[in-house]
Amino acid sequence: MLHSSFINEKALLMQVAEGDEQAFCELFNLYHQQLCNHIFRLTDSVELAEEIVSDVYLKIWMNHEVLTSVQNFRAYLYVVSKNHAL
């Protein structure tokens, strides 16, 4: 049985893929702090971590149509942000 958080995340991803800005804000708020912490551990800079996270979310919004094919958004987000940080 699927967890409701997984179902809600998939629904959010579908809404974002369709261009729903409110759903994008919810997705942003869901992972923003965790992602900043993750990138901070890689960069050791709060400012750089914030900039990278902003760039990653901008990139995701600019290519939101591809979110329909993402199976695990958290993993996708962490890989994209780590690649951007490097």
Side-chain angles (χ1 to χ4, degrees):
M1 182 173 190
L2 294 175
H3 296 342
S4 63
S5 62
F6 176 77
I7 294 169
N8 290 340
E9 182 178 278
K10 288 304 267 182
L12 274 177
L13 288 177
M14 291 301 153
Q15 291 171 334
V16 173
E18 294 171 359
D20 185 331
E21 292 179 22
Q22 182 61 37
F24 180 77
C25 287
E26 289 181 43
L27 204 57
F28 176 87
N29 290 332
L30 186 62
Y31 288 106
H32 180 261
Q33 191 58 51
Q34 293 173 16
L35 190 58
C36 282
N37 292 340
H38 172 69
I39 297 301
F40 174 75
R41 287 190 296 275
L42 295 174
T43 63
D44 201 29
S45 167
V46 172
E47 294 82 14
L48 188 55
E50 284 288 340
E51 183 177 332
I52 290 169
V53 169
S54 294
D55 288 349
V56 166
Y57 273 103
L58 177 61
K59 182 177 183 178
I60 288 170
W61 178 250
M62 298 300 289
N63 298 300
H64 61 270
E65 300 87 7
V66 302
L67 292 178
T68 58
S69 64
V70 174
Q71 297 299 315
N72 183 336
F73 182 71
R74 184 172 189 259
Y76 173 80
L77 189 60
Y78 277 57
V79 168
V80 169
S81 62
K82 181 180 177 185
N83 288 343
H84 191 75
L86 296 176

